Amino acid sequence: MRIACCLNSDATEWRDALRAALPGASVETWARDASPSEYAIVWRPPQEFFDTQPRLKAIFNAGAGVDALLNLRLPDGVPLVRLEDAGMAEQMADYVVHAVLRHVREFDVYESQARGGVWKPRAPRRKADFPIGVLGFGVLGEYVARSLQTMGFPVHAWTRTPKDAIGLRVFTGDAGLEDFLAATRVLVCLLPLTGETRGIVNRRTLALLRPEAYIVNVARGGHVVESDLIEALKEGRLAGAALDVFEQEPLPSGHPLWDQPGIAVTPHISAATLREESVEQIARKILAMERGDPISGVVDLRRGY
Ligand code: NAP
Ligand code: GLV
């Protein structure tokens, strides 16, 4: 079995880890003149990679989101498999819990007070006054929603298809979106970026949130209409936002989000791909495919995630 690694960084480390996990396989980093492979491990590959791979049985994306890959011409009929958690859910929960607590407990205010030598306690705030709405209740969204719930926050979620979730209200589809937003003061985005979800956080949806809402975007920059977010902040309709992802990455210098008061910027680090966990998951799925067993995490190309 031949496996090609085509990743934009650390490809040799992935090759070595896959060789260790699948001793019977021939694993190589991709080269233009290499023999075709049965399995591909990719992160942001060039189109040329797929154009030179006529024998693929499966493509494994070294990340959860496949939006960038779906802009390429993929070989017909070859399953595209994404990472499922592989150590990302816990990182994502850490990030979101931190962002939410920083806002609710006003640690951002205390940080700036401390820089000015100001000792000034503020009135306590109740978690009950900060209902959290999580857009997306998939592998990462559910873990994050449950973590926030464990912290004592009221939490609800929004999905495309109806879900039964114990102790948590799940709103569904276009029909459920307005009620979901009206119940939300802290909005966490954990949707995949698709034709349906692009620009979902916009002037109209921001206006439907509870007053002084706070946004946490850890999914894709394309979910948020950045100019609408800045406008809502300037008009005082939003309390702030923690943004890990942006329409253009790296966020260009001079971009208004860099120095917008109330905005916390991080460089797409909320949940990094962990090589060890990812290779273990991918190797397990390759072995299952070789046995003819079904695997999970196969992307539905029509719905885009
Ligand atoms: P997932 O398991 O596929 O979950 C996606 C969720 O979004 C599902 O609940 C799905 O609803 C819902 N959804 C999709 N389209 C929808 C629509 N049109 N309307 C309403 N709900 C919709 O994905 P995941 O593993 O949790 O990952 C989510 C995203 O996180 C990834 O796609 C990626 O973009 C992002 N991510 C970011 C980072 C980072 O470092 N910033 C790291 C990892 C992942 P159903 O349940 O009804 O299908
Ligand atoms: C990272 O952004 C991912 O989709 O895994």
Side-chain angles (χ1 to χ4, degrees):
M1 166 200 346
R2 292 184 66 87
I3 302 175
C5 299
C6 186
L7 302 111
N8 58 359
S9 68
D10 299 341
T12 52
E13 283 87 347
W14 280 76
R15 177 200 62 195
D16 295 346
L18 278 153
R19 282 180 180 168
L22 295 167
S26 158
V27 189
E28 298 296 344
T29 55
W30 177 63
R32 284 180 176 77
D33 54 355
S35 308
S37 294
E38 283 86 46
Y39 295 99
I41 320 297
V42 301
W43 184 249
R44 299 189 181 280
Q47 177 63 49
E48 192 186 358
F49 172 73
F50 293 115
D51 294 345
T52 57
Q53 293 294 330
R55 293 209 202 117
L56 288 177
K57 290 189 195 170
I59 302 162
F60 289 90
N61 184 46
V66 293
D67 44 292
L69 265 186
L70 295 183
N71 290 327
L72 299 180
R73 235 178 10 263
L74 300 178
D76 278 346
V78 177
L80 169 61
V81 187
R82 71 194 192 81
L83 285 182
E84 298 174 282
D85 185 353
M88 283 189 274
E90 188 177 334
Q91 296 177 70
M92 205 51 113
D94 289 347
Y95 183 106
V96 176
V97 165
H98 172 268
V100 170
L101 287 179
R102 184 168 187 269
H103 170 61
V104 172
R105 293 295 308 271
E106 302 184 283
F107 292 126
D108 49 346
V109 178
Y110 289 117
E111 278 162 22
S112 85
Q113 284 189 179
R115 278 194 294 275
V118 175
W119 178 282
K120 189 173 168 213
R122 298 168 64 85
R125 312 210 285 184
R126 291 177 189 284
K127 288 177 180 163
D129 293 330
F130 291 84
I132 301 174
V134 182
L135 290 166
F137 195 62
V139 173
L140 302 180
E142 177 164 10
Y143 191 96
V144 166
R146 294 298 185 191
S147 302
L148 292 163
Q149 216 176 21
T150 304
M151 301 290 303
F153 285 99
V155 183
H156 49 276
W158 184 65
T159 55
R160 195 176 58 83
T161 55
K163 295 259 167 331
D164 279 335
I166 294 166
L168 188 147
R169 179 158 182 208
V170 180
F171 298 79
T172 302
D174 289 345
L177 185 59
E178 290 197 2
D179 288 344
F180 165 87
L181 293 167
T184 299
R185 179 157 173 194
V186 178
L187 182 70
V188 177
C189 183
L190 265 166
L191 291 167
L193 186 63
T194 67
E196 288 181 7
T197 65
R198 174 169 283 283
I200 191 158
V201 181
N202 57 40
R203 178 196 291 245
R204 185 185 78 84
T205 51
L206 287 169
L208 292 169
L209 294 167
R210 290 202 177 178
E212 294 181 66
Y214 192 79
I215 310 299
V216 182
N217 187 16
V218 281
R220 286 291 183 265
H223 287 121
V224 174
V225 180
E226 290 169 351
S227 53
D228 289 1
L229 182 89
I230 292 171
E231 183 187 275
L233 266 163
K234 284 187 173 157
E235 289 173 0
R237 287 183 282 116
L238 271 189
L243 305 176
D244 183 50
V245 285
F246 301 87
E247 188 69 71
Q248 190 183 339
E249 294 181 6
L251 187 63
S253 72
H255 192 288
L257 285 172
W258 277 119
D259 48 20
Q260 183 64 45
I263 299 274
V265 169
T266 50
H268 200 142
I269 47 72
S270 51
T273 294
L274 302 178
R275 190 167 52 244
E276 194 180 322
E277 288 83 344
S278 306
V279 164
E280 189 277 325
Q281 183 175 111
I282 291 169
R284 193 164 26 81
K285 289 184 182 183
I286 289 176
L287 291 174
M289 284 189 73
E290 289 293 300
R291 289 193 305 271
D293 292 342
I295 59 166
S296 60
V298 177
V299 172
D300 179 334
L301 299 177
R302 276 165 311 146
R303 62 177 200 185
Y305 70 99

